[in-house]
Amino acid sequence: MSKTCVCAGLLLAVLPWGKVAGFTGAVEVIEYDPGALSGGSYMNPQAALGPPERFTGEGVYPGVVSPFNPPFLPSEIVSIGEGGHLTLRLDQPATDDASHPYGVDLLIFGNAGFIDVDYPQGTTGNPAALFGADGGEVEVSQDGLTFHTVIGALADGLYPTLGYLDSGPYDGQPGQILSDFTRPVNPALRLNGLSGLTYTQLVAAYDGSGGGAPLDLAQAGLAEAQFVRISVPDDGNPNVNAPPIEIDAVTAVPEPACAGALLLGAWIALRRTQRD
């Protein structure tokens, strides 16, 4: 294991989990243009910094973040309207690496979710359907000046966030077994492959992943990128606005040796926070 990985795990272990910027996450907002949004509570771009949410609704309707229960507080997600964009800087560059699971290099977490056809059991429909999956375009950059489109990428869509591996879909208390926010779901598993699943089957299909929309830097023609720009293009129709998208976090997939250190550090931090 590299020295960088060890330090990252120790950093996560020392700091409270809720305040960790994240070894592989966005740490700075470079630019935010809300686009067609006319106001409201979801216009704080700082909400997209740090790790994805595992627990949402504190003080309102508390519950674990699951593929049926996405984050929804203004402190957790930021909206981008038509014609708007959000540009973030990662703490370290993401790299295009064939050793990454399924060739995925970046993950974007939004607030899409599966429609539960057997509430509150957590069962996907047949066919499965999503709410809040509003798309959005993704561009990446090495220097923050020249951006390249990630072909075929959507910022807010499939693989809604899964915070814990041992929780139910709407549990009011945090779980004990963390999902891995740097491990992608197999992108070959499309929406039809997630149809008619019980919650247990859906968690199994995630295979330890915390979800997130997958991106391959090769689709942008870059070997590495430290800046991510998420936007909702203006379709030119002044009478109809495209629905806004919501962003929670961006994480980079680390080298395989680092992933275990990061998850261990996060687990230690969670346990420490629960004791405090």
Side-chain angles (χ1 to χ4, degrees), residues 189-204:
L189 191 61
R190 306 307 297 168
L191 192 60
N192 58 359
L194 297 170
S195 295
L197 299 184
T198 65
Y199 191 68
T200 298
Q201 291 170 330
L202 183 61
V203 172

Side-chain angles (χ1 to χ4, degrees), residues 171-197:
D171 284 4
Q173 296 294 326
Q176 298 295 315
I177 303 177
L178 304 180
S179 63
D180 187 347
F181 285 143
T182 67
R183 175 181 176 82
V185 176
N186 185 348
L189 191 61
R190 306 307 297 168
L191 192 60
N192 58 359
L194 297 170
S195 295
L197 299 184

